Amino acid sequence: MLRLVKTCAIAAGVAALAVSATVVPATAQTKWNLPAAYPADNPHSVNLIAFAKDVGDATGGKLQITVHPAASLFKAPEIKRAVATGQAQAGEVLISLHENEDPLFGMDVIPFLATSYPAAKKLWLASKPAIEKKLASQGLMLLFAVPWGPQGIFAKKELNSVEDMKGLKFRAYNVGTSRIAELVGAQPVTIQAAELPQALATGVVNSFMTSGSTAYDSKAWETMTHFYDAQAWIPKNVTFVNKAAFDALDKPTQDAILKAAVVAEERGWKLNEEKAKWYLEQLQANKMKVLPVPPALKSGLEKIGEQLTADWSKKAGADGEAVIAAYKK
C-alpha cells in the first residue's frame, strides 16, 4: 500500500511538471535560417549578412537570422523549395534558375533586353508585381531583389564570331544560357556557381557567360585567358520568406523585416554597381585579357538575343507581353 501511495505521488509530481511546462511561455527569441548560394565575401552574401544584422538590431535580438552562404545549407536549385516547404524560413536565389516554373522568372536574362543598371531596375519594377503574385501562390513573400554585374563571355581562346564558340564546353546555369549554348553549337554543361571552381579546374567547362564577381570568386584567370565585356544582361537574386513563418511574427517584427528589406535592396544595387568595375580590374590584374566584343561576335549574339526574346515572349504569353510593354513605356 505504501509503495502504491509513493508511486501515485511520483506520478502526480510528473504530471504537475508536465502541466507547468505547457504553461511556461515560449522564449521570446525566434531564430531563422537563410540559405544562400554564394561565398561569404560575395556582395550578395555581404548584403544578406547586413540585412540579418539590421533585423536583429531593430528587434532587439528578438528575431535572429543566420545566413548560410556558399550553398552550405542547401544547393542553389534547392533553396526556393526548402523555404516554400518550411525547411528554412527565408532564402536567396538567382531567380532565373526557376524559369522552367514560370517564364517571368527568366525575364532578366533575355539577352540585350536590359543591359545597364537603370534599365535593369526599370525591368525589375515592371516585372515585380507579377513575380510577387507568382511567389505568393507558392507560399513565399518577396522581400527584395539585387542585381549581379553585367554578363560577359569567358573563354580559353580568342573569339571573333559566334562560330568560334562551336564545340566549346559551355557552362549553363539556367534556361537562357542553355539555349545560347545550343544556338552557337556549344555543349551546355549545367554548373551552379558553388561548383564552378572545380568545373574549371578539371576542364568540365572551357567557356561561360557570367558576371565579373562570379569569375572573381571562381578565380577564372587560373584557367581562362579571355573575357569579352558583352554586357548581355544583368540577372538578379531575390530574397524571400516563407509566408507562414512571416505571418507567425508579431507586427513590430514584421515591420522591422520589411524596413530592413527596403534598405537591403537599395544597398545591394549600389554595392553591386560599384563593385562591377572593380571585378573587371581584378581580372586584368591577374593577367586576363579584358576585351570589347568584336563586331562579328556582337552581331551574332544580338541575333541570338532577338530569337531568345521571341521564344520567351511566346512562352510567357499575355502576362509576359504586358510586362515587356510596361518596361518599354
Side-chain angles (χ1 to χ4, degrees), residues 105-296:
F105 290 154
M107 173 169 278
D108 63 8
V109 293
I110 300 173
F112 305 107
L113 178 63
T115 59
S116 68
Y117 282 101
K121 190 63 175 280
K122 188 180 178 187
L123 181 62
W124 168 241
L125 293 176
S127 61
K128 184 178 177 181
I131 289 173
E132 279 183 316
K133 185 178 177 183
K134 179 65 180 181
L135 290 174
S137 74
Q138 299 173 330
L140 300 169
M141 188 178 84
L142 176 70
L143 289 183
F144 56 91
V146 174
W148 286 90
Q151 305 289 286
I153 305 172
F154 291 82
K156 224 173 174 178
K157 67 172 189 174
E158 186 176 318
L159 301 175
N160 289 303
S161 68
V162 291
E163 284 74 24
D164 292 333
M165 297 175 71
K166 191 172 184 178
L168 292 176
K169 291 180 283 187
F170 189 85
R171 177 238 177 175
Y173 60 82
N174 56 23
V175 173
T177 46
S178 293
R179 283 288 288 139
I180 289 170
E182 291 165 6
L183 291 169
V184 300
Q187 176 190 339
V189 185
T190 301
I191 302 286
Q192 298 306 326
E195 302 156 355
L196 186 55
Q198 185 179 0
L200 292 175
T202 55
V204 172
V205 294
N206 55 19
S207 64
F208 55 98
M209 291 183 79
T210 196
S211 64
S213 56
T214 297
Y216 177 83
D217 291 343
S218 306
K219 296 184 178 178
W221 53 82
E222 292 182 352
T223 49
M224 300 290 111
T225 55
H226 292 66
F227 170 71
Y228 294 95
D229 193 10
Q231 300 196 14
W233 64 86
I234 297 177
K236 290 179 292 294
N237 283 3
V238 297
T239 299
F240 43 70
V241 296
N242 177 286
K243 185 66 165 62
F246 182 84
D247 289 344
L249 301 171
D250 60 37
K251 183 72 164 53
T253 304
Q254 291 178 345
D255 290 344
I257 291 172
L258 297 177
K259 187 176 178 182
V262 171
V263 172
E265 182 158 300
E266 291 174 358
R267 178 178 55 226
W269 281 79
K270 185 180 179 187
L271 184 61
N272 277 275
E273 189 167 0
E274 286 173 353
K275 291 280 282 187
K277 185 181 176 187
W278 182 85
Y279 281 122
L280 297 191
E281 289 169 353
Q282 300 314 299
L283 299 181
Q284 286 179 308
N286 282 284
K287 312 302 181 190
M288 180 171 276
K289 293 180 180 178
V290 175
L291 304 162
V293 182

Side-chain angles (χ1 to χ4, degrees), residues 107 122-123 125-127 129 319-329:
M107 173 169 278
K122 188 180 178 187
L123 181 62
L125 293 176
S127 61
D319 288 347
E321 286 176 13
V323 174
I324 294 284
Y327 164 64
K328 289 187 172 178
K329 268 186 183 176

Side-chain angles (χ1 to χ4, degrees), residues 47-55 65 143-144 257 260-261 264 267:
N47 190 42
L48 288 174
I49 291 165
F51 163 72
K53 184 180 184 302
D54 288 348
V55 172
I65 301 174
L143 289 183
F144 56 91
I257 291 172
R267 178 178 55 226

Side-chain angles (χ1 to χ4, degrees), residues 29-62:
Q29 190 182 75
T30 300
K31 293 186 177 182
W32 277 14
N33 289 311
L34 195 164
Y38 306 96
D41 59 352
N42 182 281
H44 287 278
S45 300
V46 169
N47 190 42
L48 288 174
I49 291 165
F51 163 72
K53 184 180 184 302
D54 288 348
V55 172
D57 291 347
T59 61
K62 192 173 180 181

